[in-house]
Amino acid sequence: MVTTLPGAEELAALARDTAKRCGVDVDALGAQVATTSPVNGERLAAATWVDAGAVDAAVARAGEAFLAWRRVPAPVRGALVKRFGELLTEHKEDLAALISLEVGKITSEALGEVQEMIDICDYALGLSRQLYGRTISSERPGHRLMETWHPLGVVGVISAFNFPAAVWAWNTAIALVCGDPVVWKPSELAPLTALASAALLERAAAEQGAPAHLSQVVIGGPEVGEALVDHPGVALVSATGSTRMGRAVGPRVAERFGRSLLELGGNNAAIVCPSADLDLTVRGIVFSAAGTAGQRCTTMRRVIAHTDVIDALVDRLAEAYGRLPIGNPMTPGTLVGPLINERAYEAMRGALDAAVAQGGRLVAGGGRRLEDQAPGAYYAEPALVRMPQQTTIVTQETFAPILYVMPYERLEEAIALNNAVPQGLSSSIFTRDQAEAELFVSPEGSDCGIVNVNIGTSGAEIGGAFGGEKETGGGRESGSDAWRGYMRRATNTINYSGELPLAQGVEFDV
Ligand code: UN1
């Protein structure tokens, strides 16, 4: 595929016009910190960074908003996310374009990211009438036990470049119906996507007569994130990023008895069994391993294939990798866009060298494309590496499109390999043998938060709880009952008996 990458002026103008259409005051952006588009490696936009003091002010404003918002009935709060979802639908192409421009996602995946935002708004709207507590039988006559769920407080969201808008939306749509304002520190690599997303929410809030400052954005460096993490006014810190970041965030929030919701690294594997449908398996693997240029936390990084099928599988994967259209993510037909930056490419090169030093064989990809046209853009060929076993480099997450393929003979051995990494986000098994599939999803199976059968590791729907175990951080966001993390539970005992019997039969008469 021959790609011509667009020039700096063209992309910068497109970014500016698109952000403006979403309601961003582009003339007030400032020029303090420039961003680069991974599409052509050239300057795209600039934004003004705030400091830790601005976080203080934002949290104080959010605290005010909380006092008003918690009094608004949840279904009325739902009307806000409903309107937000409508505006997202109206500006779906705009936001997707900004995502492609700022982080290099192909158009279809960028549209998919905005669709996740729309979906979570629908979900949160329904949820706004379903924030159920339980009633519980009391052991005492004339008593009732019940639990109620109340708004928690200000939620701080720290998000990463690879899902520059959807992760915020998952948190924000749920937080808003739960009665919580949000202060967002987006990736500093994608300020326009953040400002455009937030502008649409602000418009929805103004139209719905919601209190001011329910949603605020603080763009800046690590000290801005740290200020959110340490702020006693932030009840919940929801942070998505590397395990290294989470290791810093978790204890700091715990120290002040705040709540944290961590979505950290993944090192996701698929087990391919002898009975697997190889056509479906190859498609599932290639989307999860090469899609988003390997930059999802759910990206498939390991394949554990039975010795009966590994050779055929590797041949077919190599053939598919050879056909991957790599190039301008905004050109129809492209399936693999650029890596986010040079550092990502260097990490990929380093991991490939380590893999070869540890006995691996590079079967496909690994090279760089379009370097002549755009020296500052890093288009990498997704790499397929055959490994003799699960060596050290395979147990580490490299945020780039590298897929390691290893053999197994007994399914128990494959499951042990799946689980023998520090991360525990997503996992898959490809099989037509029901007993194998059942074992994989059983308590003796995968130890991950996401366990799939006959589909890849990435591309989860928003209706389920999303997150993982071990070094992935243990947090759950998005659907199912993840909303409980954004509320506080009160247990109420109501005595209508006119007597005062004590629980556990305790006597205390004065
Ligand atoms: C992430 O990579 O941070 O399951 C989130 C998926 C997407 C979300 C990924 N729905 O791949």
Side-chain angles (χ1 to χ4, degrees), residues 27-34 43 45-48:
D27 299 321
L29 277 175
Q32 194 200 355
V33 182
R43 183 191 160 107
T48 300

Side-chain angles (χ1 to χ4, degrees), residues 58 61-70 72 77 80 154-155 168 172 175-177 179-184 201-202 204-206 208-217:
R61 287 191 296 264
E64 289 287 311
F66 175 63
L67 299 182
W69 193 234
R70 69 180 177 180
V72 174
R77 300 196 294 248
L80 168 56
V154 177
V155 175
W168 164 76
T172 299
L176 287 175
V177 297
D180 305 330
V182 174
V183 180
W184 180 21
L201 176 53
E202 266 161 46
Q208 298 294 311
H213 309 307
L214 277 182
S215 156
Q216 296 174 81
V217 183

Side-chain angles (χ1 to χ4, degrees), residues 293-348:
Q295 301 171 111
R296 289 195 191 211
C297 54
T298 49
T299 291
M300 192 185 295
R301 310 200 179 281
R302 301 179 289 145
V303 165
I304 305 161
H306 192 273
T307 44
D308 284 357
V309 288
I310 190 166
D311 290 336
L313 178 70
V314 169
D315 284 351
R316 293 180 65 163
L317 286 172
E319 191 270 327
Y321 269 49
R323 278 190 287 112
L324 281 172
I326 303 168
N328 181 354
M330 301 176 87
T331 302
T334 300
L335 293 182
V336 179
L339 293 177
I340 186 70
N341 54 26
E342 179 177 10
R343 216 160 50 150
Y345 179 70
E346 292 306 330
M348 180 172 176

Side-chain angles (χ1 to χ4, degrees), residues 372-390:
D372 295 348
Q373 241 192 80
Y378 293 85
Y379 287 84
E381 297 166 354
L384 183 64
V385 186
R386 180 112 178 219
M387 296 301 294
Q389 67 225 14
Q390 188 153 280

